[in-house]
Every structure is written in structure tokens, then in C-alpha cells.
Amino acid sequence: MPRGPSRDLCAAGAAVLLVTTAVLVGRHIQGTSRTLFADWPPLLASWEPHLGPGTPAAVLVAVATVAYGPALAARLPWRALVPLTWGTATAWTSSLALVDGWQRGIAGRLTTPHEYLRAIDRFHDVPAALRGFTGHILLGSPDHWPAHTAGHPPAATLTFVLLDRIGLRGGGWAGVWCITVGATACVAVLVAVRALAGEGLARGAAPFVVLAPAAVWMGTSADAYFAAVAAWAVALLALAVTGRSLWWAGVSGLLFGLTCYLSYGLTLVALIAAAVLVLGRHGIRGRPALLVPLLAGLAVVPTVFTLAGFNWWEAYHLLVTRYHQGVGGVRPYGYWVWANLACTVLVTGLATAAGLRRTGAVLVRHRGDVLSRPGAAAAEARLALLVSAALLALLVADLSGMSKAETERIWLPFALWLLPACAFLTPAPALGSSLKFSTSLEQGGPPRAGRTPVRAWLTAQALLALLLNHLLLTRW
């Protein structure tokens, strides 16, 4: 067997071993001390094999994407590929959510006692709610917020308050919002990869970004919406530095500011943004004024919330206390610090594990090309740096101790940026010949030795998502 595929399979095998170990060790700990607060560790889920109305659609989307996705990703004009990516990702996420039925899979997800919709009635006076927000974070405070409202800055809950105010009330509309907006994150990732590393690699990554097992948790979770906002902040920054656009820089900064007020942990997206700035340094040198609208946009949301009476830093410190008041203070760090990585395997799939192995190999092989100007020699190295920045953000979140369990949902904004590593598993495109790239992808095989067929990896991704969603009942 060629060395490349053999090493890819070893990486995938190591990922399987990690997940298996996390399951066995987790079940032992939960069975003896019950300190994990997860019925099916390392996931927050319970064993419940089931079918649902979304099952036929999910299988159909998976089969169609595996069969036709690589060829369409290579052949379609970019302007057609973008909406197709969004539509397919929406269909994949929606069908997986509907495996649990409309009420349990979508409409009821955001109405449980821990969720945001339980708090929207307390925002009838928004300025007063913002001024008093920090006074309801701790468990001992009067009328403390539900867990998810307390665990996030108020922009998260305000999103659902605004939906309610414009008439899109209830869990159904909230769920549809999260799925529809969350699916655009796939497009944002591809837009960023195209801007920074070239269209060939973006097209190679497209089917994997669409058919990711992450869709199991994208539907229906507010973190899917958070992931989309963060992804577009990064994508627009990539467009700004490569196209030297002041407009995109300003909007990117605005979205980065909003991201930080949707989730405290998403401040780590700054590491991905830093990688974009490094890769786009030539654009910034050519037009230093790009930093002015970027920083101005970044200041907008924090300024508005601060003037409204919400103190981000005070709220964050209170959240840390609240986190340790609850199960976060009981869950053992020694288990979750590595079991969280097993969760990430289940979210991103075995193809991503193999892709990350190739990412490391690319960085070693082309480390001198990482900061080169865009071109065939540097494209893979630039993508590898972007993916590595996302992996670093995820690892920092892991080591912080503020991510013990539920990372299959919480880390979606980081995990989505690992998926483009799968582009390294596709046939290497001739950057000047889209026809050659199209033909090799359509055949599902490589134009050169050392590549496992694309469809085999896509099938593994789809099967993992379908098995997870039909054997387990995920919850949060």
C-alpha cells in the first residue's frame, strides 16, 4: 500500500482508538462515581436507537453528496457552488435534526429549562435587563438566569428576543433560524479558503464541509448561529486583506465584536483572525488603512453594550464562578481534557483526522512557503496554517478548564475550520487546469499515486453522522 494512504488510515485508526478509550473510561467513571454528568460519555447523549421522519431525507442527501458532490464541486461555476453548498448543508442539517422529529429535534430544542427562550420574557425592558444582567448570573442570586443565558453575553439571548419581537416567536422559528443561519458557516469557510489558499483547495474541501458530522449538533443549537457569525467575521477579513477592501474590513470588525458578545469563549477566534492577518500581510502593507475600519467596526458592539450598562469583564468573572458552582466544578478535568478531543473526532470525522495528519506534513514540507505570496507552491502551506490556527484555538479552549463536556456543541465555531484539512485528501489540482481537477474528482481517484478515493472518505463522514444521530439521542 502506498505510504500516504497507509499513514492516513493510521491517523484515522488512532482517532478511533481515542474515541473508544474515551467511551470505555467514561462509562467506568460515570458508573462508579457519576461525576461526568453524561449518560454516554464523552458525548452529552443517551443510547436510544431510533428512526424518524428525517431518516429518508438524511440518507438521500448523504448518498447524493457522496455520489455527485466531488464532481459538482469541481465543475460548477463558483457563483453556483456557493448557494448549492448552503442549500445542501441546510438540507443535511435539517434532515438529521428531523430524525428526532419536529418537536424533539427542532421546535423543542431551545425551549428547555436551560435554554435562551426561557429568558426572553424578562427582556421586555431591554436597557433595564442589560443593566441588571450581571446581577442574575450566580446560582445564589435572585431569579438567576437559565444556564445558557447566564453562560453567554446578552447578545445571544437578545437575538431570540428580537426574533420574538418581529413575530417569529417560539422554538420552531428559533430552531429554523439557527439551522438556516448556521448552514451559512460552510459557505464562509469556503470563501475564506478560496481567498487565502486558492479556489482549487476550496473546491476540494467543499463536499467535506457540507457533509460534516458536525451537522448533528448544528441542528438545532444556538452555537450553530454563533459559529456562522464567527465564520463570516473570518471570511470577510480574508476578503478584506486579499482584496484590500475597506468595506469588508469594517463589516468583519463589526462581526468580530458581535462574536465576542455572543459567547465569551469565542474570543479565541482571534487566533484564527491572526492567522488570516499573517497570510494577508501583503494586502495590509499595501493598504495599511484597512486596520482603521477593522478596529472601528470591532469597537461598535462592545461600545453599545457598555453604554447600555453591561460589563463584559465583570460578567465573565461571574460566569467562571457560576461554572464551578454547577456540574463544571464537579466534572474531572483529568478525563475531559483528553476526552474533549475524542468529541472533536466525532464532530469532524475520521477524514478530518487524516486531513490533520496531512496538514502537519504540509507544514513540515513547505514551512518556507507559508508566508510566500499566493501561488501554487504556497497554497497548501497557507491552508495548513489556517487550519493549524483553528486547532490551536481549540486546544487553548481545552486546556482552559472551562470546556469540560458538551464540546461537541460548544466547539462548533472552531471545529468547522478543521474540516478544510480534508482538501489534502483530494487529488491535488493543477491550479491552471480546472478540467483536470474536475476529471480526477469525478472519478473519485487520484491523478497520481498515494491518494485514497475521495468518495471513500466522504462515505465514512456520512456514515458516522447517520450512526450518531440514529443510535444516540443528543441533548444539551
Side-chain angles (χ1 to χ4, degrees), residues 235-260:
L236 295 183
L237 180 60
L239 292 176
V241 297
T242 55
R244 303 184 182 183
S245 167
L246 297 176
W247 168 254
W248 288 134
V251 178
S252 173
L254 185 66
L255 291 180
F256 274 120
L258 176 58
T259 296
C260 294

Side-chain angles (χ1 to χ4, degrees), residues 256 259-261 263-272 312-313 316 414:
F256 274 120
T259 296
C260 294
Y261 278 73
S263 174
Y264 299 103
L266 289 188
T267 53
L268 291 174
V269 173
L271 294 173
I272 305 176
W312 191 97
W313 283 105
Y316 174 71
F414 309 124

Side-chain angles (χ1 to χ4, degrees), residues 56-83:
V59 173
L60 180 61
V61 172
V63 171
T65 304
V66 170
Y68 303 107
L72 290 174
R75 288 181 168 182
L76 285 178
W78 182 258
R79 290 186 178 181
L81 180 60
V82 167

Side-chain angles (χ1 to χ4, degrees), residues 98-387:
L98 288 171
V99 170
D100 296 334
W102 167 256
Q103 182 60 35
R104 190 165 67 173
I106 297 179
R109 285 287 194 179
L110 297 172
T111 62
T112 64
H114 301 296
E115 286 285 358
Y116 306 95
L117 266 63
R118 288 299 183 99
I120 60 175
D121 290 341
R122 295 170 61 179
F123 280 78
H124 59 276
D125 185 343
V126 172
L130 292 178
R131 288 193 300 271
F133 191 88
T134 56
H136 303 287
I137 292 178
L138 297 180
L139 284 177
S141 61
D143 298 323
H144 61 262
W145 296 117
H148 287 188
T149 300
H152 296 79
T157 305
L158 276 178
T159 299
F160 301 104
V161 172
L162 292 176
L163 287 176
D164 184 80
R165 295 283 174 87
I166 64 175
L168 303 180
R169 299 183 177 89
W173 283 113
V176 169
W177 165 267
C178 290
I179 290 174
T180 306
V181 175
T184 68
C186 297
V187 176
V189 170
L190 296 184
V191 167
V193 172
R194 180 177 185 251
L196 297 170
E199 189 169 316
L201 288 170
R203 288 177 177 272
F208 292 96
V209 174
V210 167
L211 209 59
V216 172
W217 294 276
M218 297 285 280
T220 307
S221 166
D223 291 85
Y225 157 56
F226 305 160
V229 175
W232 280 110
V234 174
L236 295 183
L237 180 60
L239 292 176
V241 297
T242 55
R244 303 184 182 183
S245 167
L246 297 176
W247 168 254
W248 288 134
V251 178
S252 173
L254 185 66
L255 291 180
F256 274 120
L258 176 58
T259 296
C260 294
Y261 278 73
L262 289 172
S263 174
Y264 299 103
L266 289 188
T267 53
L268 291 174
V269 173
L271 294 173
I272 305 176
V276 173
L277 292 175
V278 169
L279 293 172
R281 77 197 189 287
H282 295 297
I284 297 173
R285 288 175 181 173
R287 197 174 190 184
L290 287 171
L291 297 177
V292 176
L294 176 65
L295 295 175
L298 182 62
V300 171
V301 173
T303 299
V304 169
F305 275 94
T306 300
L307 292 176
F310 173 72
N311 187 318
W312 191 97
W313 283 105
E314 178 188 2
Y316 174 71
H317 289 300
L318 289 171
L319 166 65
V320 173
T321 302
R322 166 80 181 251
Y323 183 78
H324 290 96
Q325 286 178 327
V327 298
V330 179
R331 284 172 169 158
Y333 180 85
Y335 171 77
W336 290 109
V337 73
W338 60 271
N340 286 337
L341 302 180
C343 285
T344 304
V345 171
L346 295 174
V347 171
T348 59
L350 298 181
T352 303
L356 289 176
R357 185 206 70 80
R358 287 188 179 256
T359 298
V362 167
L363 285 177
V364 172
R365 187 168 63 249
H366 298 303
R367 57 186 178 274
D369 297 325
V370 171
L371 299 181
S372 300
R373 290 184 180 274
E380 288 190 349
R382 294 165 68 81
L383 175 58
L385 180 62
L386 181 66
V387 171

Side-chain angles (χ1 to χ4, degrees), residues 429-476:
L431 297 181
S433 175
S434 60
L435 178 60
K436 181 178 179 181
F437 184 43
S438 171
T439 302
S440 61
L441 277 180
E442 181 183 7
Q443 293 172 347
R448 66 189 188 201
R451 300 283 182 174
T452 300
V454 176
R455 291 195 183 105
W457 288 115
L458 280 174
T459 300
Q461 297 290 88
L463 284 175
L464 176 59
L466 290 170
L467 287 172
L468 285 171
N469 215 49
H470 285 84
L471 295 178
L472 300 175
L473 181 62
T474 57
R475 53 186 176 84
W476 42 83

